[in-house]
Amino acid sequence: MKIGIIGLGRMGGNIARRLMRAGHETVVFDRNAPAVEGLVADGAVGATSLEDMRDKLDKPGIYWVMLPAGDPTEQTIATIGGFDTKGDIIIDGGNSFYKDDIRRAKALTEQGTHYVDVGTSGGVWGLERGYCMMVGGSKEAVDTIDPILAALAPGIGTIPRTPGRIEENEDPRAEQGYIHAGPAGAGHFVKMVHNGIEYGLMQAYAEGFDILKGKASDKLPEDERFDLNLTDIAEVWRRGSVISSWLLDLTAIGLAKDQNLEQFTGSVADSGEGQWTIDAAMEEKVPANVLTAALFARYRSRVDHTFGDKLLSAMRFGFGGHVEMPQ
Amino acid sequence: MKIGIIGLGRMGGNIARRLMRAGHETVVFDRNAPAVEGLVADGAVGATSLEDMRDKLDKPGIYWVMLPAGDPTEQTIATIGGFDTKGDIIIDGGNSFYKDDIRRAKALTEQGTHYVDVGTSGGVWGLERGYCMMVGGSKEAVDTIDPILAALAPGIGTIPRTPGRIEENEDPRAEQGYIHAGPAGAGHFVKMVHNGIEYGLMQAYAEGFDILKGKASDKLPEDERFDLNLTDIAEVWRRGSVISSWLLDLTAIGLAKDQNLEQFTGSVADSGEGQWTIDAAMEEKVPANVLTAALFARYRSRVDHTFGDKLLSAMRFGFGGHVEMPQ
Amino acid sequence: MKIGIIGLGRMGGNIARRLMRAGHETVVFDRNAPAVEGLVADGAVGATSLEDMRDKLDKPGIYWVMLPAGDPTEQTIATIGGFDTKGDIIIDGGNSFYKDDIRRAKALTEQGTHYVDVGTSGGVWGLERGYCMMVGGSKEAVDTIDPILAALAPGIGTIPRTPGRIEENEDPRAEQGYIHAGPAGAGHFVKMVHNGIEYGLMQAYAEGFDILKGKASDKLPEDERFDLNLTDIAEVWRRGSVISSWLLDLTAIGLAKDQNLEQFTGSVADSGEGQWTIDAAMEEKVPANVLTAALFARYRSRVDHTFGDKLLSAMRFGFGGHVEMPQ
Amino acid sequence: MKIGIIGLGRMGGNIARRLMRAGHETVVFDRNAPAVEGLVADGAVGATSLEDMRDKLDKPGIYWVMLPAGDPTEQTIATIGGFDTKGDIIIDGGNSFYKDDIRRAKALTEQGTHYVDVGTSGGVWGLERGYCMMVGGSKEAVDTIDPILAALAPGIGTIPRTPGRIEENEDPRAEQGYIHAGPAGAGHFVKMVHNGIEYGLMQAYAEGFDILKGKASDKLPEDERFDLNLTDIAEVWRRGSVISSWLLDLTAIGLAKDQNLEQFTGSVADSGEGQWTIDAAMEEKVPANVLTAALFARYRSRVDHTFGDKLLSAMRFGFGGHVEMPQ
């Protein structure tokens, strides 16, 4: 198929490459001209603007928007939507908030433009491994772009089938690594929860390794200390233990390079989905202590001290004349 | 009554003073001689050792040990217990772990010595306001020292009676500010949970004021920022709001001095009871998310970054090539 | 002053009464006619509609809306705003979301109507004790209604002044029990955080008493059990302990009636402010583990089992062949 | 090698079988005679008592104890230790508390008996997949039993090597699926933290799927609901997403059988390691909010309502006259 790809960063560039490897034609655009040139060298058709891309695509056209959530995505979709070509399919492959998808899809559908949201997981590994995709939109639009999704997905590969999975009941695409999750917004909603879970998983490993490392601490009685090899522990847990996972594989890679992780300061970003997941939990009245604690650990990692900490010290001073602990 | 007081720090010294004001005779000892001299100037009889104290007290004697939990308390009680005078009453007024009380009481009771544990709350304010006390031990011993406890307690004062409290069902001492909570250990157990709750309450205020202060943050859209006067907010909440409390009074005092609390760094100690409270919750299989989060916030306040934070950064780098956020 | 009061429930009715006691004239309206009649019997002027109220008030008029947040409040304010009388003051005394205040104030200000939001704490006790109020709006409007606020506030009463509070630096109204917190929205924002803190405080006590009660559990070794008198413990903590508070007073009242609280099932509502407080924390990137855990404990209290619990059982069965624990 | 295996439950029986498949000779004992017979049918030598096992093993003997932690393990090790045969190796392959290992190893080492603790992960899948093992003990003893450990371990299999792992720096056994973690106790300590992490991971998935399922809730506005296929979501996340893991594989299996998990009530056991992990965190002063919240979610899953919930209701009634929410 022919597809336009807007946004050629880490994710967008590799998506274009993986599609070309599968024989699809890509027309690519990025505000950053060298990014376009790089893709053209790999076989893409370059575009100098969204209008230029429109002219180089079929009618109706298929557009994959792979930009930061918020203004960049919003404005790009508004421009493409403004082309108002009946039957166009606009795909938001980024990390938009699912309520924005619902809103956009409503407006675009009224004018006959299709809107599809694709939550895309795979990171820098996706070019080789393929991308896991959660897709929202109308059946018609999702079916139309199926060849694109199939090319991006990892396929069944070497990952074993789930015992007990009954083919006739389930969506066969799931085993290929993509699903049609529901109407517009459903794709990003599922991806959002995915990222919320990711934060929780990551924090569980983080706390566990913190406890392993702390076991050498001189706060402990001498005969209760262990000086553990974290690199070997991460490695052994990859092999037959119940906590083996891709995140553990990444942990093992990081620790193999440097068991003390000295290149990192420990100031950890969060990208929006974690927060939206907690919003969703609260709207549904679902308790989500683990996912929230994981998110808050990231906030906490980015400040030296909270004002709240100081208030604790002020209360302790007021009550007991306590002075602060030297750090 | 005549009572020996061992440990003349912030708490012990004021306890001796409050007892003398009520007409009790005190014999006082501290490893730090000037502390003894200070109390002697206030009317106490000084002792140069535990043996000297024994000789200056009646037989059987009453000893109030007011020392840091752990070795100092343990050794002092061992020494006094070694006097082996039938009918002696040893009171541990400090912050011992209640299982240590159970163990000590068992051993001392066998030799005819009484052991009483008194959880004591009141801080630097206790001299004037009186101490709230939770007492564990045999009925006989607790009844014997009742005049001591009554003198230390705040008494009913101006605090209104609890509507619906039926006198015949309840312990009249509770309204005076002390209770006989149960056998040895029960006093410190109740005081331990008291401190666990205290941590939770403090952290609730800390987080709330953090959110108030953060509302001026330039992370927020400009028309959603408020530059709030925290001093006045603490003050107004003291007056008719459902979250009025002594801890809020202390917060108001701290903020009245300096709304930014700049004298504090925010490195917050914890004293053992918080941790033991969580241990007790786990033994009983009681979920205690708030008390635990409050305790962990203190741990977190004392380190710049956890190793776990670095591990999160390592995973994010491994997965998405993410570099760390500048702080 | 003359003031219209819309909504004569538990809070609104008592607010009208307290104002009348202070000599203010009230015109009252409620969809529920008997509620109006009750207030008329107490000296209010009854209104049969908002239009009727307008006609019975001065021009410009002062309206205190005391209705459930959401549609009832929104529609009532829209109707009064539609009167479009220059200089009217509309007060939202309920629990509106502060961003709704910001929006409404913007629209009303453009037409010359004042909008004031008053976060009101005091519960069923407010009629006698007075209400603690946090007020947002323009200086002009807040100054105009000062006599109303002063009459509703508790006044300085018997609550001691905060040591170190320097009068010239601070708002003297804070000591009377109300503050002008900032522009429109600031009143409800401060009240929202107040309720967030309230949830945290309540949960801290709840967990503490849970641990006290659990100490009698037969899960524990027999010599480590205590059968504690929770009623007396709540009482004694009110007297000189650092965790004394109004919420503890209420706890003591509840336990004095029935130490086992058998009239309650333990299904606990939450009213919106708790959730909005967490939203605010996330927008500001402030970690708020305690306030969140308190909110989630309420969600959890309202379901028998979460689907997540079942998923844990499914995983345990899958991994280890574990069958579920009988409850 | 020849090895005695005590405890032929789910884990112990399969360990014996896997060893025999690898050509080792096993002498087996269980209080439950049919369990012994089952293994004898598979080629093991049956023993009728620990003494009988001793007589059927070489001297010194190797004993693998695979019993529930606590009394059964303690007494069995005491009995075998009482044989007092110089050079015997006693392996505790169960889930003992690591401080018990330290204590036992100290006593046994003094008499010339070796003590090795093996944290064993693998569940019902271990017979085929192999067991991931974390081993504590002296180098001499661990080297002696290496053929046993190698036979039980999964081996490198199809799991890719960790990029960047430098062979000369690391323990080659880690890639085979077992490590010598340190002195006695270190094996169970690492396994304990493993289980703590496991609880955290499981709870992260549980909360995420709870939020997915709750998205169909009629608490939400109709146009924001999604009726998601959880079975397909679990499946797709196994394929290229960053949260793929063995626990997710098990989730997918469970959901493939029944998306509503109706065979489970959601009452979830915890086995000790989760609690000990939090104990270790507190001893080291490491904040572990996620691991703790995961543990507490299990406690909470096993009661209908906490007493704390009732206390919240009592406070709300006392403050605002609120009656409880119908469930």
Side-chain angles (χ1 to χ4, degrees):
Chain A
M1 299 185 87
K2 207 168 186 177
I3 185 167
I5 300 182
I6 302 103
L8 304 172
R10 217 153 28 203
M11 293 286 285
N14 282 346
I15 281 173
R17 282 185 191 93
R18 191 165 167 99
L19 287 174
M20 289 189 287
R21 289 188 191 173
H24 296 288
E25 293 171 70
T26 65
V27 182
V28 299
F29 174 66
D30 194 292
R31 286 191 316 180
N32 174 27
V36 176
E37 287 156 28
L39 266 293
V40 169
D42 287 352
V45 173
T48 57
S49 66
L50 293 172
E51 289 73 15
D52 184 38
M53 176 178 280
R54 174 194 53 190
D55 298 340
K56 288 172 171 162
L57 288 173
D58 299 330
K59 288 209 172 21
I62 302 174
Y63 300 82
W64 184 293
V65 182
M66 203 69 197
L67 292 168
D71 286 351
T73 296
E74 193 70 34
Q75 289 162 13
T76 300
I77 291 173
T79 301
I80 304 173
F83 297 160
D84 202 6
T85 311
K86 202 168 168 58
D88 271 359
I89 300 178
I90 305 176
I91 303 160
D92 179 358
N95 280 324
S96 287
F97 184 43
Y98 75 95
K99 293 189 184 179
D100 289 330
D101 294 314
I102 295 175
R103 171 177 51 77
R104 288 177 201 148
K106 206 176 160 196
L108 289 168
T109 302
E110 283 169 11
Q111 69 174 43
T113 304
H114 297 284
Y115 181 85
V116 175
D117 54 290
V118 180
T120 313
S121 181
V124 295
W125 304 70
L127 176 60
E128 300 306 328
R129 285 196 179 203
Y131 298 91
C132 173
M133 288 168 294
M134 298 136 259
V135 185
S138 69
K139 185 175 184 316
E140 183 191 349
V142 177
D143 284 353
T144 303
I145 63 168
D146 190 73
I148 299 295
L149 299 171
L152 290 174
I156 194 154
T158 59
I159 298 171
R161 301 200 60 205
T162 293
R165 193 171 162 87
I166 299 157
E167 272 166 80
E168 53 264 40
N169 293 356
E170 315 294 353
D171 186 339
R173 292 171 289 192
E175 290 193 330
Q176 303 296 323
Y178 63 111
I179 54 168
H180 181 195
H188 278 143
F189 183 81
V190 174
K191 174 57 163 48
M192 175 196 85
V193 176
H194 166 281
N195 284 31
I197 293 172
E198 178 189 336
Y199 285 20
L201 301 179
M202 287 173 74
Q203 186 64 21
Y205 288 116
E207 291 178 8
F209 278 93
D210 222 351
I211 296 168
L212 291 175
K213 188 165 186 74
K215 194 59 182 167
S217 161
D218 54 17
K219 284 174 207 148
L220 300 174
E222 205 164 339
D223 59 353
E224 291 189 4
R225 291 180 212 160
F226 297 126
D227 187 11
L228 300 164
N229 183 321
L230 305 191
T231 306
D232 283 341
I233 290 172
E235 185 62 33
V236 81
W237 285 348
R238 297 179 63 227
R239 300 181 173 281
S241 111
V242 73
I243 64 172
S244 62
S245 70
W246 192 8
L247 286 164
L248 181 64
D249 294 348
L250 297 171
T251 299
I253 292 171
L255 290 168
K257 273 192 222 150
D258 171 16
Q259 181 166 185
N260 295 310
L261 302 175
E262 284 182 359
Q263 72 172 111
F264 301 103
T265 60
S267 181
V268 189
D270 69 283
S271 65
E273 286 94 347
Q275 177 178 343
W276 300 333
T277 302
I278 308 312
D279 279 328
M282 293 196 295
E283 286 175 3
E284 300 173 11
K285 308 296 179 194
V286 165
N289 286 295
V290 158
L291 304 193
T292 311
L295 178 66
F296 288 169
R298 294 190 175 199
Y299 295 168
R300 184 62 186 82
S301 80
R302 305 201 300 257
V303 289
D304 279 338
H305 284 290
T306 67
F307 182 71
D309 292 341
K310 296 182 188 218
L311 199 77
L312 296 178
S313 286
M315 282 190 249
R316 296 185 78 244
F317 180 77
F319 176 61
H322 299 291
V323 291
E324 285 187 316
M325 212 167 187
Q327 217 161 347
Chain B
M1 299 184 87
K2 209 167 186 178
I3 185 168
I5 299 183
I6 302 104
L8 303 173
R10 216 153 28 202
M11 293 287 284
N14 283 345
I15 282 173
R17 282 185 190 92
R18 191 166 167 99
L19 286 174
M20 289 189 287
R21 289 188 191 174
H24 295 289
E25 292 171 72
T26 65
V27 182
V28 299
F29 174 66
D30 194 291
R31 286 191 317 179
N32 174 27
V36 175
E37 287 156 26
L39 266 293
V40 169
D42 288 350
V45 173
T48 56
S49 67
L50 293 172
E51 290 72 15
D52 184 35
M53 176 179 279
R54 174 193 54 192
D55 298 340
K56 289 173 170 162
L57 289 172
D58 299 331
K59 285 205 177 20
I62 303 174
Y63 301 83
W64 184 293
V65 182
M66 202 69 196
L67 292 168
D71 286 351
T73 296
E74 193 69 36
Q75 289 163 12
T76 300
I77 291 172
T79 302
I80 303 173
F83 296 160
D84 203 4
T85 311
K86 202 168 167 56
D88 272 359
I89 299 179
I90 305 176
I91 302 160
D92 179 358
N95 280 324
S96 286
F97 184 43
Y98 75 94
K99 293 189 184 179
D100 289 330
D101 295 314
I102 296 175
R103 172 179 49 78
R104 289 177 200 148
K106 206 174 160 196
L108 289 168
T109 302
E110 282 168 11
Q111 69 174 41
T113 303
H114 298 283
Y115 181 85
V116 175
D117 53 292
V118 180
T120 312
S121 181
V124 293
W125 303 71
L127 176 59
E128 300 306 327
R129 286 196 178 202
Y131 297 92
C132 173
M133 288 168 294
M134 298 136 259
V135 185
S138 69
K139 185 176 184 316
E140 182 190 348
V142 177
D143 285 352
T144 303
I145 63 168
D146 190 75
I148 298 294
L149 299 170
L152 289 175
I156 194 154
T158 59
I159 297 171
R161 302 199 60 204
T162 293
R165 194 172 160 87
I166 298 158
E167 272 165 81
E168 53 263 43
N169 293 356
E170 314 295 354
D171 186 339
R173 292 170 290 193
E175 290 194 330
Q176 303 297 323
Y178 63 110
I179 53 167
H180 181 194
H188 278 143
F189 183 81
V190 175
K191 173 57 162 50
M192 174 197 85
V193 175
H194 166 280
N195 284 30
I197 294 173
E198 178 189 336
Y199 285 20
L201 301 179
M202 288 173 73
Q203 186 65 21
Y205 287 115
E207 292 178 8
F209 277 93
D210 221 349
I211 295 168
L212 291 175
K213 189 166 185 74
K215 194 60 182 167
S217 162
D218 54 16
K219 283 173 208 148
L220 300 175
E222 204 165 338
D223 59 353
E224 291 189 3
R225 291 179 211 157
F226 297 126
D227 188 11
L228 300 163
N229 183 321
L230 304 191
T231 306
D232 283 341
I233 291 172
E235 185 62 33
V236 81
W237 285 348
R238 298 179 61 228
R239 301 182 172 280
S241 111
V242 73
I243 63 172
S244 62
S245 71
W246 191 7
L247 286 164
L248 182 63
D249 295 347
L250 296 171
T251 299
I253 293 171
L255 290 169
K257 272 192 222 151
D258 170 16
Q259 181 166 185
N260 295 310
L261 302 175
E262 284 182 359
Q263 73 173 110
F264 301 102
T265 61
S267 181
V268 190
D270 70 282
S271 65
E273 286 94 347
Q275 177 178 344
W276 299 333
T277 301
I278 307 312
D279 278 329
M282 293 196 297
E283 287 174 3
E284 300 173 12
K285 308 297 178 194
V286 165
N289 286 295
V290 158
L291 304 192
T292 312
L295 179 66
F296 288 169
R298 295 190 174 199
Y299 294 168
R300 185 61 186 82
S301 80
R302 304 200 300 257
V303 289
D304 279 338
H305 283 290
T306 67
F307 183 70
D309 292 340
K310 295 180 189 221
L311 199 77
L312 296 178
S313 286
M315 281 190 249
R316 296 185 78 243
F317 180 77
F319 176 61
H322 299 292
V323 291
E324 285 187 316
M325 211 166 188
Q327 218 162 345
Chain C
M1 300 185 87
K2 209 167 185 177
I3 185 168
I5 299 183
I6 303 103
L8 304 173
R10 217 155 27 204
M11 292 287 285
N14 283 345
I15 281 173
R17 283 185 190 92
R18 191 166 168 97
L19 286 174
M20 290 189 286
R21 289 187 191 174
H24 295 289
E25 293 171 71
T26 65
V27 183
V28 300
F29 174 66
D30 194 291
R31 286 191 317 179
N32 175 28
V36 176
E37 287 157 25
L39 266 293
V40 169
D42 287 351
V45 174
T48 57
S49 67
L50 293 172
E51 290 72 16
D52 184 36
M53 176 179 280
R54 174 193 53 189
D55 297 342
K56 288 173 171 161
L57 288 174
D58 299 330
K59 281 200 180 27
I62 303 175
Y63 301 82
W64 184 293
V65 182
M66 202 69 196
L67 292 167
D71 286 351
T73 295
E74 193 70 35
Q75 289 162 13
T76 301
I77 291 174
T79 301
I80 303 174
F83 297 161
D84 202 5
T85 310
K86 201 164 168 57
D88 272 359
I89 300 178
I90 305 176
I91 303 160
D92 179 357
N95 281 324
S96 286
F97 184 42
Y98 75 95
K99 292 188 185 181
D100 289 331
D101 295 314
I102 295 175
R103 171 179 50 77
R104 289 177 199 148
K106 206 176 159 195
L108 290 168
T109 302
E110 282 169 11
Q111 70 174 42
T113 303
H114 297 284
Y115 181 85
V116 176
D117 53 292
V118 180
T120 313
S121 180
V124 295
W125 304 71
L127 175 60
E128 301 306 328
R129 285 196 180 203
Y131 297 92
C132 173
M133 287 168 294
M134 298 136 260
V135 185
S138 69
K139 185 176 184 317
E140 183 190 347
V142 176
D143 284 352
T144 302
I145 63 169
D146 190 75
I148 299 294
L149 299 171
L152 290 175
I156 195 154
T158 58
I159 298 171
R161 302 199 58 205
T162 294
R165 192 172 161 86
I166 298 159
E167 272 165 80
E168 53 264 41
N169 293 357
E170 314 295 353
D171 187 339
R173 292 170 290 192
E175 291 194 329
Q176 302 297 323
Y178 64 111
I179 53 167
H180 181 195
H188 278 143
F189 183 81
V190 174
K191 173 59 161 49
M192 174 196 86
V193 175
H194 166 280
N195 284 32
I197 293 173
E198 178 189 336
Y199 285 20
L201 301 179
M202 288 173 73
Q203 186 63 21
Y205 287 116
E207 292 177 8
F209 278 93
D210 222 350
I211 295 168
L212 291 175
K213 188 165 187 74
K215 194 60 182 168
S217 161
D218 54 17
K219 283 173 208 149
L220 299 175
E222 205 165 338
D223 59 354
E224 291 189 5
R225 291 180 212 158
F226 298 126
D227 188 11
L228 300 164
N229 183 320
L230 304 191
T231 306
D232 283 341
I233 291 172
E235 185 62 33
V236 80
W237 284 349
R238 296 179 63 228
R239 301 182 172 280
S241 111
V242 72
I243 63 171
S244 62
S245 71
W246 192 7
L247 286 164
L248 182 64
D249 295 348
L250 297 171
T251 300
I253 292 171
L255 290 168
K257 274 192 220 150
D258 171 16
Q259 180 165 186
N260 295 311
L261 303 175
E262 284 182 0
Q263 72 172 110
F264 301 102
T265 60
S267 181
V268 189
D270 69 283
S271 65
E273 287 94 346
Q275 176 177 344
W276 300 332
T277 301
I278 308 312
D279 278 328
M282 293 195 296
E283 286 174 4
E284 300 173 12
K285 309 297 179 192
V286 166
N289 286 295
V290 158
L291 305 193
T292 311
L295 178 66
F296 288 169
R298 294 189 174 201
Y299 295 168
R300 184 62 186 81
S301 79
R302 305 202 298 258
V303 289
D304 279 340
H305 283 291
T306 68
F307 182 72
D309 291 341
K310 295 181 188 220
L311 198 76
L312 295 178
S313 285
M315 282 190 250
R316 296 184 79 243
F317 180 78
F319 176 61
H322 299 291
V323 291
E324 285 187 318
M325 211 167 189
Q327 218 161 346
Chain D
M1 300 185 87
K2 210 169 186 177
I3 185 168
I5 300 183
I6 303 104
L8 303 172
R10 216 155 26 204
M11 293 286 285
N14 283 346
I15 282 173
R17 283 185 191 93
R18 191 166 167 98
L19 287 174
M20 289 189 287
R21 290 187 191 175
H24 295 289
E25 293 171 71
T26 66
V27 182
V28 300
F29 174 67
D30 193 291
R31 287 191 316 179
N32 174 27
V36 175
E37 287 157 25
L39 266 293
V40 169
D42 287 350
V45 174
T48 57
S49 66
L50 293 173
E51 290 72 16
D52 184 36
M53 176 178 280
R54 174 193 54 190
D55 298 342
K56 288 173 171 163
L57 287 173
D58 298 330
K59 283 201 177 30
I62 303 175
Y63 301 82
W64 185 292
V65 181
M66 202 69 197
L67 292 167
D71 286 351
T73 295
E74 193 69 36
Q75 288 162 13
T76 300
I77 291 173
T79 302
I80 303 173
F83 296 161
D84 201 5
T85 312
K86 201 166 168 57
D88 271 359
I89 300 178
I90 305 176
I91 303 161
D92 179 357
N95 281 324
S96 287
F97 184 42
Y98 75 95
K99 292 188 185 181
D100 289 330
D101 294 314
I102 296 176
R103 171 179 50 77
R104 289 176 200 148
K106 205 174 160 197
L108 289 168
T109 301
E110 282 168 12
Q111 70 174 42
T113 303
H114 298 284
Y115 181 85
V116 176
D117 53 291
V118 180
T120 313
S121 180
V124 294
W125 303 71
L127 175 59
E128 300 306 327
R129 285 196 179 205
Y131 298 92
C132 173
M133 289 168 293
M134 297 136 260
V135 185
S138 69
K139 185 175 184 320
E140 183 189 348
V142 177
D143 284 353
T144 304
I145 64 169
D146 189 74
I148 298 294
L149 299 170
L152 289 174
I156 194 155
T158 59
I159 297 171
R161 301 199 59 205
T162 293
R165 192 172 163 86
I166 299 158
E167 271 165 82
E168 54 264 40
N169 294 356
E170 315 294 353
D171 187 339
R173 292 170 289 192
E175 291 194 330
Q176 303 296 323
Y178 64 111
I179 53 167
H180 181 196
H188 278 143
F189 183 82
V190 175
K191 174 58 162 49
M192 174 195 87
V193 175
H194 167 280
N195 283 32
I197 293 172
E198 178 189 335
Y199 285 20
L201 301 179
M202 287 173 73
Q203 186 64 21
Y205 288 116
E207 292 179 6
F209 277 94
D210 221 349
I211 295 168
L212 292 175
K213 190 167 185 72
K215 193 60 182 166
S217 161
D218 53 17
K219 282 173 208 150
L220 299 175
E222 205 165 338
D223 59 353
E224 291 189 5
R225 291 180 211 157
F226 297 125
D227 188 11
L228 301 164
N229 183 320
L230 304 191
T231 307
D232 283 341
I233 291 173
E235 185 63 32
V236 81
W237 284 348
R238 296 179 62 228
R239 300 180 174 282
S241 111
V242 73
I243 63 172
S244 61
S245 70
W246 192 8
L247 286 164
L248 182 63
D249 294 348
L250 297 170
T251 300
I253 293 170
L255 290 168
K257 273 192 220 149
D258 170 17
Q259 181 166 186
N260 296 311
L261 302 175
E262 284 182 1
Q263 72 172 111
F264 301 102
T265 60
S267 181
V268 189
D270 70 281
S271 66
E273 287 94 347
Q275 176 177 344
W276 300 332
T277 301
I278 308 311
D279 278 330
M282 293 195 296
E283 286 174 4
E284 299 173 12
K285 308 297 180 193
V286 165
N289 286 295
V290 158
L291 304 193
T292 312
L295 179 66
F296 288 169
R298 295 189 174 200
Y299 295 169
R300 184 62 186 82
S301 79
R302 305 201 300 258
V303 289
D304 279 339
H305 283 290
T306 67
F307 183 71
D309 291 341
K310 296 182 188 218
L311 199 75
L312 295 178
S313 286
M315 281 190 249
R316 295 185 79 243
F317 180 77
F319 176 61
H322 299 291
V323 291
E324 285 187 317
M325 212 168 187
Q327 219 162 346

